[in-house]
């Protein structure tokens, strides 16, 4: 897959899912900064679990945040 196409896919995926991830993380964290860190770490970790460099299923990110 073309790298710019892959970046576009990830960007679209983040735009679609990041607000829900952040709302969920706020329930798990003590502060807004901690919630943002949780989301960032969960997306990176879930992304590394994928062998094909595609965005992970949202359920995997939610489970990682939890």
């Amino acid at each position: 897959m073309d790298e710019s196409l892959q970046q576009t896919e990830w960007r679209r995926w983040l735009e679609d899912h990041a607000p829900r991830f952040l709302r969920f993380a706020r329930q798990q964290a003590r502060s807004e900064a901690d919630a943002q860190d949780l989301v960032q770490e969960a997306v990176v970790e879930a992304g590394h679990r994928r062998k094909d460099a595609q965005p992970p299923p949202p359920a995997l990110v939610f489970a990682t945040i939890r």
Side-chain angles (χ1 to χ4, degrees):
M1 177 181 280
D2 181 82
E3 187 172 327
S4 64
L5 180 61
Q6 187 177 33
Q7 289 176 350
T8 300
E9 184 177 351
W10 268 93
R11 188 173 295 116
R12 186 174 300 125
W13 182 85
L14 283 170
E15 288 171 358
D16 290 345
H17 299 291
R20 290 183 5 210
F21 296 151
L22 190 54
R23 279 193 302 273
F24 181 70
R26 284 180 184 132
Q27 297 171 1
Q28 312 297 318
R30 295 180 183 180
S31 69
E32 180 70 18
D34 288 346
Q36 291 173 0
D37 288 346
L38 279 173
V39 171
Q40 182 176 3
E41 292 170 9
V43 168
V44 169
E45 184 176 327
H48 282 294
R49 291 181 184 180
R50 295 290 304 244
K51 303 294 183 206
D52 57 6
Q54 296 296 310
L60 181 57
V61 178
F62 282 117
T64 305
I65 291 170
R66 181 173 290 165

